Amino acid sequence: MKKVFKGLVVAAVVTMSAGVCLTAAADTAKLDQLLEQVKKSRTAEGKINQQREQEFLSDRADKQALLNRAKAEFAAEESRGKSLTQQFADNEGKLAAKEAELQAAQGTLGEMFGIVRGAATETIGGIATSNISAQFKGRDELLKKLAEAKELPTINELEELWIALQTEMTESAKVSKFEGNVVSLDGNSAQASVTRVGAFNLISDGGYLVFNADTQEMQPLVKQPESYIVADAEAFKNAAPGEVKPVYIDPTGGNLLRLKTQEATLEEQFHQGGTPGYVITVLLLIGLLIGAVRFVSLSAASAGVKAQLKNLNNPSEKNALGRILKVYHDNKSVDVETLELKLDEAIMRETPDIEKGIGIIKLIAAVGPLLGLLGTVIGMIGAFQVITLHGTGDPKIMAGQISMALVTTVQGLLCALPLLFIHSMLQSKSNSVLHVLDEQSAGIIAAHAEKEKA
């Protein structure tokens, strides 16, 4: 058994040795192949590196040539700069000498040049914004040229300056009509007949115009002044030759009219009163309506009483005195005290109808100023709230509340004043009617008492 086992072991060892030899032979072939590839790669990389080296040397030579050329150009430019610097210094000296010669040659012309520039600078603003420029355009171009000029003005330029100044003086004393382009508030432009009143105003069919110096166009005011002013302006524009018509003018050339457009109209001031103002207005209308109705009623009652006074024997139930006389005729047989009581009762029946509504008018006249005071307090509270939030830097922020405070006070007073007069008038008329009734009643009682004594 040992021999058999040894034989098997020897056979296995021999087999394994043969396998290892075969594997080693295969790896050796691969290594040879790898070595051959490395040698080939080394040869190829050597050629590439040699080619790159040749290219680098060639570029280096080119760069050196460019550097040499740049150095030569720099040296040339440096030499040229020194030459130009010297030439500049020489020219500066020559310019100084020429300026001295020019000043000597100008003499008093230099002073005239300063006067011309000063005159052009001073008048350019006035002429550019003048209403006369709406008719004679382009006058400010010459003035701008003279104001910015560096050389002496020519004879023609001096004459043009003279003409521009003379035109402004002459035309400011004329009323002229011309056709011009007017731009409406909606942006549309159209030709219109314009009347120029000196340098003060421009008038068209719709009222006053203003001249915009920036756009060189005429346009109507955003809001025209009062209707009677516009009516006088239109009448002046449409006046026949030789006909004299009064007209309102703006001595500032349109600035006052522009400021006028910022003023609040009566309607705008009315709405500034807010809710208290509306309530005051409603109460005023109610008071006026009651006053008108009561005035008509008392006038009719007074007329009926006056008519009845002329015919006391025929009483009519259509008037207060007639109804009282009828009470007397119906109770002629009673005693004096009873008759007096019945007449007093009849007068008391007539009194409410005669005095009806007069107390309400008095009440409204008293409430109106109180509502105005209420609006004033509300407006002042609002103003203080605005001051708390925004401070006092901009008064315009507080203007709305202050306007409410003042406008409601005015509205309350305007409500009370007419109603007080109406109340006084109606009270007087009612008292006069009641006085006639009392007088006639006393007369009737006195006459009845005399009859009883007789």
Short mmCIF file of all heavy atoms in Angstrom, two decimals, residues 178-218:
data_model
loop_
_atom_site.label_atom_id
_atom_site.label_comp_id
_atom_site.label_asym_id
_atom_site.label_seq_id
_atom_site.Cartn_x
_atom_site.Cartn_y
_atom_site.Cartn_z
N PHE A 178 -52.93 136.72 -35.73
CA PHE A 178 -52.18 135.84 -36.62
C PHE A 178 -52.75 134.43 -36.52
O PHE A 178 -53.48 134.10 -35.59
CB PHE A 178 -50.69 135.85 -36.28
CG PHE A 178 -50.36 135.29 -34.91
CD1 PHE A 178 -49.97 133.97 -34.74
CD2 PHE A 178 -50.47 136.10 -33.78
CE1 PHE A 178 -49.68 133.46 -33.49
CE2 PHE A 178 -50.18 135.61 -32.53
CZ PHE A 178 -49.78 134.28 -32.38
N GLU A 179 -52.40 133.61 -37.50
CA GLU A 179 -52.80 132.21 -37.52
C GLU A 179 -51.67 131.37 -36.94
O GLU A 179 -50.52 131.51 -37.34
CB GLU A 179 -53.12 131.74 -38.95
CG GLU A 179 -54.32 132.42 -39.57
CD GLU A 179 -55.63 131.98 -38.91
OE1 GLU A 179 -55.69 130.81 -38.47
OE2 GLU A 179 -56.55 132.81 -38.83
N GLY A 180 -51.99 130.53 -35.99
CA GLY A 180 -50.98 129.71 -35.34
C GLY A 180 -51.50 128.33 -35.01
O GLY A 180 -52.69 128.06 -35.03
N ASN A 181 -50.55 127.44 -34.71
CA ASN A 181 -50.88 126.06 -34.36
C ASN A 181 -51.17 125.98 -32.87
O ASN A 181 -50.30 126.30 -32.04
CB ASN A 181 -49.72 125.14 -34.74
CG ASN A 181 -50.10 123.68 -34.61
OD1 ASN A 181 -51.21 123.30 -34.93
ND2 ASN A 181 -49.17 122.87 -34.15
N VAL A 182 -52.37 125.56 -32.50
CA VAL A 182 -52.79 125.47 -31.10
C VAL A 182 -52.99 124.00 -30.76
O VAL A 182 -53.73 123.29 -31.44
CB VAL A 182 -54.08 126.27 -30.84
CG1 VAL A 182 -54.52 126.10 -29.40
CG2 VAL A 182 -53.87 127.73 -31.17
N VAL A 183 -52.32 123.54 -29.71
CA VAL A 183 -52.43 122.15 -29.25
C VAL A 183 -53.46 122.10 -28.15
O VAL A 183 -53.31 122.75 -27.11
CB VAL A 183 -51.07 121.63 -28.75
CG1 VAL A 183 -51.21 120.19 -28.26
CG2 VAL A 183 -50.02 121.72 -29.85
N SER A 184 -54.53 121.33 -28.36
CA SER A 184 -55.60 121.23 -27.35
C SER A 184 -55.14 120.36 -26.19
O SER A 184 -54.09 119.73 -26.22
CB SER A 184 -56.86 120.65 -27.99
OG SER A 184 -56.60 119.35 -28.50
N LEU A 185 -55.95 120.31 -25.14
CA LEU A 185 -55.59 119.55 -23.95
C LEU A 185 -55.54 118.05 -24.20
O LEU A 185 -54.86 117.33 -23.47
CB LEU A 185 -56.60 119.86 -22.83
CG LEU A 185 -56.62 121.31 -22.34
CD1 LEU A 185 -57.69 121.50 -21.28
CD2 LEU A 185 -55.26 121.73 -21.80
N ASP A 186 -56.25 117.56 -25.22
CA ASP A 186 -56.21 116.14 -25.52
C ASP A 186 -55.08 115.77 -26.47
O ASP A 186 -54.96 114.62 -26.89
CB ASP A 186 -57.55 115.68 -26.11
CG ASP A 186 -57.94 116.48 -27.36
OD1 ASP A 186 -57.13 117.34 -27.80
OD2 ASP A 186 -59.05 116.26 -27.87
N GLY A 187 -54.22 116.74 -26.83
CA GLY A 187 -53.06 116.47 -27.65
C GLY A 187 -53.24 116.75 -29.13
O GLY A 187 -52.25 116.70 -29.88
N ASN A 188 -54.44 117.03 -29.58
CA ASN A 188 -54.67 117.33 -30.99
C ASN A 188 -54.28 118.78 -31.29
O ASN A 188 -54.48 119.67 -30.48
CB ASN A 188 -56.13 117.09 -31.36
CG ASN A 188 -56.52 115.63 -31.18
OD1 ASN A 188 -55.73 114.74 -31.45
ND2 ASN A 188 -57.74 115.39 -30.71
N SER A 189 -53.71 118.99 -32.46
CA SER A 189 -53.29 120.33 -32.86
C SER A 189 -54.08 120.77 -34.09
O SER A 189 -54.45 119.95 -34.94
CB SER A 189 -51.79 120.36 -33.18
OG SER A 189 -51.48 119.46 -34.22
N ALA A 190 -54.34 122.07 -34.16
CA ALA A 190 -55.10 122.63 -35.27
C ALA A 190 -54.74 124.11 -35.43
O ALA A 190 -54.33 124.77 -34.46
CB ALA A 190 -56.60 122.46 -35.06
N GLN A 191 -54.91 124.61 -36.63
CA GLN A 191 -54.68 126.02 -36.90
C GLN A 191 -55.86 126.83 -36.36
O GLN A 191 -57.01 126.45 -36.52
CB GLN A 191 -54.52 126.26 -38.40
CG GLN A 191 -53.21 125.72 -38.98
CD GLN A 191 -52.01 126.52 -38.51
OE1 GLN A 191 -52.07 127.75 -38.41
NE2 GLN A 191 -50.92 125.82 -38.23
N ALA A 192 -55.54 127.93 -35.71
CA ALA A 192 -56.59 128.77 -35.13
C ALA A 192 -56.16 130.22 -35.20
O ALA A 192 -54.96 130.55 -35.30
CB ALA A 192 -56.87 128.38 -33.68
N SER A 193 -57.15 131.10 -35.19
CA SER A 193 -56.90 132.54 -35.18
C SER A 193 -56.59 132.97 -33.74
O SER A 193 -57.35 132.69 -32.82
CB SER A 193 -58.12 133.30 -35.71
OG SER A 193 -57.90 134.70 -35.61
N VAL A 194 -55.45 133.63 -33.56
CA VAL A 194 -54.98 134.01 -32.24
C VAL A 194 -54.77 135.52 -32.21
O VAL A 194 -54.24 136.10 -33.16
CB VAL A 194 -53.66 133.29 -31.88
CG1 VAL A 194 -53.18 133.70 -30.49
CG2 VAL A 194 -53.85 131.79 -31.95
N THR A 195 -55.23 136.14 -31.14
CA THR A 195 -55.01 137.57 -30.91
C THR A 195 -53.97 137.73 -29.81
O THR A 195 -54.13 137.18 -28.72
CB THR A 195 -56.32 138.27 -30.51
OG1 THR A 195 -57.27 138.11 -31.56
CG2 THR A 195 -56.07 139.76 -30.27
N ARG A 196 -52.90 138.46 -30.14
CA ARG A 196 -51.82 138.70 -29.17
C ARG A 196 -51.94 140.12 -28.65
O ARG A 196 -51.94 141.07 -29.41
CB ARG A 196 -50.46 138.48 -29.82
CG ARG A 196 -49.29 138.80 -28.89
CD ARG A 196 -47.96 138.54 -29.57
NE ARG A 196 -47.83 139.28 -30.81
CZ ARG A 196 -47.51 140.58 -30.89
NH1 ARG A 196 -47.30 141.28 -29.79
NH2 ARG A 196 -47.42 141.17 -32.06
N VAL A 197 -52.05 140.25 -27.32
CA VAL A 197 -52.13 141.56 -26.68
C VAL A 197 -50.73 141.89 -26.18
O VAL A 197 -50.35 141.55 -25.05
CB VAL A 197 -53.15 141.57 -25.53
CG1 VAL A 197 -53.29 142.96 -24.95
CG2 VAL A 197 -54.49 141.04 -26.01
N GLY A 198 -49.94 142.57 -27.00
CA GLY A 198 -48.57 142.89 -26.64
C GLY A 198 -47.80 141.64 -26.27
O GLY A 198 -47.86 140.61 -26.96
N ALA A 199 -47.04 141.72 -25.18
CA ALA A 199 -46.34 140.55 -24.66
C ALA A 199 -47.08 139.96 -23.47
O ALA A 199 -46.55 139.12 -22.75
CB ALA A 199 -44.92 140.94 -24.23
N PHE A 200 -48.34 140.38 -23.27
CA PHE A 200 -49.07 139.99 -22.07
C PHE A 200 -49.85 138.70 -22.25
O PHE A 200 -49.69 137.78 -21.46
CB PHE A 200 -50.03 141.12 -21.65
CG PHE A 200 -49.34 142.44 -21.42
CD1 PHE A 200 -49.59 143.51 -22.27
CD2 PHE A 200 -48.44 142.60 -20.39
CE1 PHE A 200 -48.96 144.72 -22.07
CE2 PHE A 200 -47.81 143.80 -20.18
CZ PHE A 200 -48.06 144.87 -21.02
N ASN A 201 -50.71 138.63 -23.27
CA ASN A 201 -51.62 137.50 -23.37
C ASN A 201 -51.82 137.08 -24.81
O ASN A 201 -51.64 137.87 -25.75
CB ASN A 201 -52.99 137.83 -22.76
CG ASN A 201 -52.93 138.00 -21.25
OD1 ASN A 201 -53.11 139.08 -20.74
ND2 ASN A 201 -52.65 136.92 -20.54
N LEU A 202 -52.23 135.80 -24.94
CA LEU A 202 -52.67 135.22 -26.21
C LEU A 202 -54.12 134.78 -26.02
O LEU A 202 -54.45 134.08 -25.05
CB LEU A 202 -51.80 134.03 -26.60
CG LEU A 202 -50.32 134.31 -26.81
CD1 LEU A 202 -49.54 133.00 -26.95
CD2 LEU A 202 -50.10 135.18 -28.05
N ILE A 203 -55.00 135.20 -26.94
CA ILE A 203 -56.43 134.94 -26.81
C ILE A 203 -56.91 134.20 -28.06
O ILE A 203 -56.61 134.62 -29.19
CB ILE A 203 -57.23 136.24 -26.61
CG1 ILE A 203 -56.72 137.00 -25.38
CG2 ILE A 203 -58.71 135.94 -26.47
CD1 ILE A 203 -57.34 138.36 -25.23
N SER A 204 -57.66 133.13 -27.86
CA SER A 204 -58.27 132.39 -28.95
C SER A 204 -59.77 132.30 -28.70
O SER A 204 -60.30 132.92 -27.77
CB SER A 204 -57.65 131.00 -29.08
OG SER A 204 -58.18 130.33 -30.21
N ASP A 205 -60.47 131.50 -29.53
CA ASP A 205 -61.93 131.42 -29.39
C ASP A 205 -62.34 130.82 -28.06
O ASP A 205 -63.36 131.18 -27.50
CB ASP A 205 -62.49 130.57 -30.54
CG ASP A 205 -62.37 131.29 -31.89
OD1 ASP A 205 -62.33 132.53 -31.89
OD2 ASP A 205 -62.28 130.60 -32.91
N GLY A 206 -61.55 129.91 -27.52
CA GLY A 206 -61.92 129.26 -26.26
C GLY A 206 -61.48 130.00 -25.02
O GLY A 206 -61.78 129.57 -23.91
N GLY A 207 -60.78 131.11 -25.18
CA GLY A 207 -60.29 131.85 -24.02
C GLY A 207 -58.81 132.13 -24.13
O GLY A 207 -58.26 132.29 -25.24
N TYR A 208 -58.13 132.15 -23.01
CA TYR A 208 -56.71 132.49 -22.96
C TYR A 208 -55.84 131.28 -23.32
O TYR A 208 -56.17 130.13 -23.00
CB TYR A 208 -56.33 132.98 -21.57
CG TYR A 208 -56.87 134.36 -21.24
CD1 TYR A 208 -58.11 134.51 -20.63
CD2 TYR A 208 -56.15 135.50 -21.57
CE1 TYR A 208 -58.61 135.77 -20.32
CE2 TYR A 208 -56.65 136.76 -21.27
CZ TYR A 208 -57.87 136.89 -20.65
OH TYR A 208 -58.36 138.14 -20.36
N LEU A 209 -54.71 131.57 -23.99
CA LEU A 209 -53.71 130.57 -24.32
C LEU A 209 -52.42 130.89 -23.59
O LEU A 209 -52.19 132.03 -23.17
CB LEU A 209 -53.44 130.53 -25.83
CG LEU A 209 -54.62 130.30 -26.77
CD1 LEU A 209 -54.16 130.41 -28.21
CD2 LEU A 209 -55.26 128.95 -26.52
N VAL A 210 -51.55 129.87 -23.44
CA VAL A 210 -50.21 130.07 -22.89
C VAL A 210 -49.21 129.53 -23.90
O VAL A 210 -49.50 128.58 -24.63
CB VAL A 210 -50.05 129.38 -21.53
CG1 VAL A 210 -50.85 130.09 -20.47
CG2 VAL A 210 -50.42 127.92 -21.59
N PHE A 211 -48.03 130.15 -23.94
CA PHE A 211 -46.97 129.76 -24.87
C PHE A 211 -45.96 128.89 -24.14
O PHE A 211 -45.41 129.29 -23.12
CB PHE A 211 -46.30 130.99 -25.46
CG PHE A 211 -45.15 130.68 -26.39
CD1 PHE A 211 -45.36 130.01 -27.57
CD2 PHE A 211 -43.86 131.06 -26.04
CE1 PHE A 211 -44.31 129.71 -28.42
CE2 PHE A 211 -42.80 130.78 -26.89
CZ PHE A 211 -43.02 130.10 -28.08
N ASN A 212 -45.73 127.67 -24.66
CA ASN A 212 -44.77 126.74 -24.08
C ASN A 212 -43.43 126.94 -24.79
O ASN A 212 -43.28 126.62 -25.96
CB ASN A 212 -45.25 125.30 -24.25
CG ASN A 212 -44.43 124.32 -23.45
OD1 ASN A 212 -43.25 124.54 -23.20
ND2 ASN A 212 -45.06 123.24 -23.02
N ALA A 213 -42.45 127.51 -24.06
CA ALA A 213 -41.16 127.81 -24.68
C ALA A 213 -40.39 126.55 -25.04
O ALA A 213 -39.57 126.56 -25.97
CB ALA A 213 -40.32 128.68 -23.74
N ASP A 214 -40.61 125.44 -24.34
CA ASP A 214 -39.87 124.21 -24.62
C ASP A 214 -40.31 123.58 -25.94
O ASP A 214 -39.46 123.15 -26.74
CB ASP A 214 -40.05 123.21 -23.48
CG ASP A 214 -39.49 123.73 -22.17
OD1 ASP A 214 -38.51 124.52 -22.22
OD2 ASP A 214 -40.02 123.37 -21.09
N THR A 215 -41.62 123.51 -26.16
CA THR A 215 -42.13 122.90 -27.39
C THR A 215 -42.44 123.92 -28.48
O THR A 215 -42.78 123.52 -29.60
CB THR A 215 -43.40 122.10 -27.08
OG1 THR A 215 -44.40 122.98 -26.53
CG2 THR A 215 -43.10 121.01 -26.06
N GLN A 216 -42.34 125.23 -28.13
CA GLN A 216 -42.65 126.29 -29.08
C GLN A 216 -44.08 126.15 -29.62
O GLN A 216 -44.34 126.36 -30.81
CB GLN A 216 -41.65 126.28 -30.26
CG GLN A 216 -40.23 126.60 -29.87
CD GLN A 216 -40.06 128.06 -29.43
OE1 GLN A 216 -40.42 128.98 -30.15
NE2 GLN A 216 -39.53 128.25 -28.24
N GLU A 217 -45.01 125.81 -28.73
CA GLU A 217 -46.41 125.63 -29.13
C GLU A 217 -47.32 126.42 -28.19
O GLU A 217 -46.96 126.69 -27.03
CB GLU A 217 -46.80 124.15 -29.10
CG GLU A 217 -46.08 123.31 -30.13
CD GLU A 217 -46.42 121.83 -29.99
OE1 GLU A 217 -46.84 121.44 -28.87
OE2 GLU A 217 -46.26 121.08 -30.96
N MET A 218 -48.50 126.75 -28.69
CA MET A 218 -49.53 127.41 -27.88
C MET A 218 -50.56 126.38 -27.45
O MET A 218 -50.92 125.49 -28.24
CB MET A 218 -50.20 128.53 -28.69
CG MET A 218 -49.28 129.68 -29.05
SD MET A 218 -50.12 130.93 -30.08
CE MET A 218 -50.29 130.01 -31.62
#
